[in-house]
């Protein structure tokens, strides 16, 4: 019993040391993380939005230390930040997740990131920003993104077309890797609907060429910088 009590006491002291170090690290990192994610949100259709990391002490020890860490978010200017699960819509959650992933991209260890319609409710320049950020994440890990926007699809290294087909045996889904002219045609379809015109085909070709050129230049710049 004496040995067990001594072991318990030693473990409690070690826990306190580790918990205090963890609390200090969280307190130091929280402001910078809040600012970085807030900054990333501005280009994702959430102008004026704010992200806050709140670290609060708890009374009882827990497996995750002596703190309760909460993510608060205000989707737009003038709103009071509230717990992320209470105020963010599905599309906003995806974009906030993207902002977090981009901000922590150099720290994360996940080999694969999956985004389901992260571009929901956005378009134009914001959609282009989402596409570029996903492409940026894809340089260090595998990124799978479900999208209906041509601006996002054009930024991908690989384009997979998912289609449903009804038949006598029921509905089936197919996934087809497309490239070259097939990809141009698919991006044009995403731009204008089922019937692509010469103008939409030219626009799709230009969009794919522009994003590929921008990606190559940025990769070369990063290679020179490193």
């Amino acid at each position: 019993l004496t040995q067990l009590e001594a072991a318990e006491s030693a473990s409690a002291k070690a826990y306190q040391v580790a918990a205090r170090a963890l609390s200090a690290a969280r307190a130091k990192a929280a402001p910078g993380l809040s600012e970085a994610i807030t900054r990333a949100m501005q280009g994702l259709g959430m102008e004026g939005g704010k992200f806050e990391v709140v670290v609060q002490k708890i009374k009882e020890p827990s497996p995750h230390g002596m703190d309760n860490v909460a993510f608060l978010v205000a989707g737009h200017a003038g709103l009071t930040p509230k717990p992320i699960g209470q105020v963010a819509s599905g599309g906003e959650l995806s974009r906030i997740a993207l902002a977090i992933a981009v901000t922590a991209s150099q720290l994360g260890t996940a080999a694969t990131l999956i985004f389901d319609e992260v571009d929901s409710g956005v378009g134009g320049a914001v959609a282009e920003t989402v596409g570029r950020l996903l492409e940026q994440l894809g340089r260090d890990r595998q990124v799978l993104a479900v999208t209906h926007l041509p601006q996002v699809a054009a930024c991908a290294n690989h384009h997979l077309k998912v289609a449903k087909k009804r038949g006598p045996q029921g509905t089936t889904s197919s996934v087809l890797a497309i490239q070259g002219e097939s990809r141009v045609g698919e991006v044009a379809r995403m731009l204008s609907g089922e019937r692509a015109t010469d103008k939409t085909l030219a626009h799709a070709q230009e969009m794919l060429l522009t994003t590929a050129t921008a990606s190559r230049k940025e990769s070369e710049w990063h290679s020179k910088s490193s």
Side-chain angles (χ1 to χ4, degrees), residues 135-136 139 157 210-226:
E135 190 272 337
Q136 177 183 329
R139 296 172 191 168
N157 299 113
T210 300
T211 54
T213 301
S215 177
R216 184 174 63 254
K217 288 182 177 179
E218 191 167 348
S219 296
E220 291 175 351
W221 183 85
H222 281 289
S223 297
K224 292 179 181 179
S225 298
S226 58

Side-chain angles (χ1 to χ4, degrees), residues 108-134:
T109 58
T112 301
L113 298 175
I114 301 175
F115 294 97
D116 186 7
E117 298 189 11
V118 68
D119 47 37
S120 176
V122 303
V126 176
E128 292 179 12
T129 300
V130 170
R132 287 197 301 271
L133 290 177
L134 290 172

